[in-house]
Amino acid sequence: MAFLDNLKRQAERKLKQSAQDALKKGINKAVSNIGNKSEKVIIGEMPQNLEEFKALPQAAMDTPFKTAALTVAALCHYPNNRQLCFDMLAFLKGPADLSGVDKQFINDRFMDKDYVPRSYFEGATPENNYQPALPYTIIVSENPYSYQNEGYATLYIKSGGADSARQVTLRKAKDGKWYLWEQFLLSDIRKPESENPWA
């Protein structure tokens, strides 16, 4: 009888431990998913001037996701109209200046790599020379650490030519808008197939 009681107690302990483990696993999964939100930002047509850029719905900049996506759109203009790119970025920076250092950083990163900003649009891959699908769509993601610093948001955008997403940091101003603080979108990615000497 004591043997059966002992077996019963062991079984109850194991069952209780399994239930606790399952609960802990569920809680950990729920916690790790907090802040793992992604938003699809669709830009119907690429703006051709600053007025069109400011007229985009995303130019309300009422969420950091919208401002991050507009940063990609602004950088896409650099190869054909450097000044327009800078004007758009200055608008996104709001109260902060687009400094000479910022401009030089962009100049240095662009060296013969006009395809890098296009790589952030859905459908743009090295195989199709980074030609995005239409309508222009950018997926912007956050993670559990995106809002670690009060008033700032660090978001991520995946490039079709890189294994890891690239970072954009936004800052919220008194007017409630999220402005561009810094971006790391111009790092090297895989070259398009058209530039592959071995293909």
Side-chain angles (χ1 to χ4, degrees):
M1 193 71 177
F3 175 72
L4 288 175
D5 286 344
N6 197 22
L7 274 178
K8 187 179 174 185
R9 278 195 296 274
Q10 283 180 353
E12 284 172 350
R13 271 199 304 270
K14 281 185 179 178
L15 192 61
K16 187 177 178 184
Q17 187 61 47
S18 294
Q20 286 175 341
D21 290 345
L23 181 62
K24 190 175 179 182
K25 190 176 178 183
I27 290 169
N28 287 341
K29 187 176 180 184
V31 167
S32 69
N33 283 333
I34 291 172
N36 283 348
K37 182 174 86 169
S38 291
E39 275 190 23
K40 273 189 178 188
V41 181
I42 297 171
I43 298 171
E45 287 185 33
M46 285 294 280
Q48 298 307 306
N49 53 54
L50 187 59
E51 290 68 35
E52 288 181 11
F53 188 71
K54 290 179 178 180
L56 289 170
Q58 294 83 6
M61 295 190 284
D62 52 348
T63 74
F65 293 88
K66 292 177 182 177
T67 310
L70 286 181
T71 302
V72 172
L75 290 170
C76 283
H77 283 283
Y78 182 93
N80 298 318
N81 190 334
R82 191 175 297 190
Q83 189 55 51
L84 179 57
C85 169
F86 290 153
D87 289 345
M88 289 175 172
L89 290 173
F91 170 71
L92 295 178
K93 299 235 352 140
D97 288 330
L98 183 69
S99 68
V101 173
D102 292 328
K103 293 177 184 178
Q104 190 55 50
F105 176 81
I106 293 168
N107 291 336
D108 292 344
R109 293 298 177 279
F110 253 102
M111 300 285 185
D112 302 322
K113 294 173 190 156
D114 66 338
Y115 51 85
V116 174
R118 292 196 315 268
S119 76
Y120 294 100
F121 290 110
E122 271 200 312
T125 64
E127 291 73 29
N128 66 12
N129 295 312
Y130 295 111
Q131 291 307 310
L134 296 176
Y136 296 105
T137 303
I138 302 162
I139 298 176
V140 185
S141 303
E142 63 182 26
N143 69 23
Y145 308 103
S146 285
Y147 302 96
Q148 238 176 342
N149 299 315
E150 191 177 348
Y152 293 84
T154 300
L155 303 181
Y156 300 87
I157 307 176
K158 185 86 171 68
S159 162
D163 295 327
S164 57
R166 304 294 162 82
Q167 178 179 313
V168 184
T169 302
L170 303 311
R171 186 174 183 182
K172 194 171 189 179
K174 289 178 183 176
D175 62 7
K177 294 182 179 181
W178 289 89
Y179 291 99
L180 174 63
W181 188 247
E182 59 183 354
Q183 57 82 18
F184 300 95
L185 297 173
L186 299 176
S187 304
D188 278 349
I189 60 172
R190 289 185 282 278
K191 287 185 176 182
E193 282 302 313
S194 61
E195 294 186 20
N196 182 354
W198 304 106

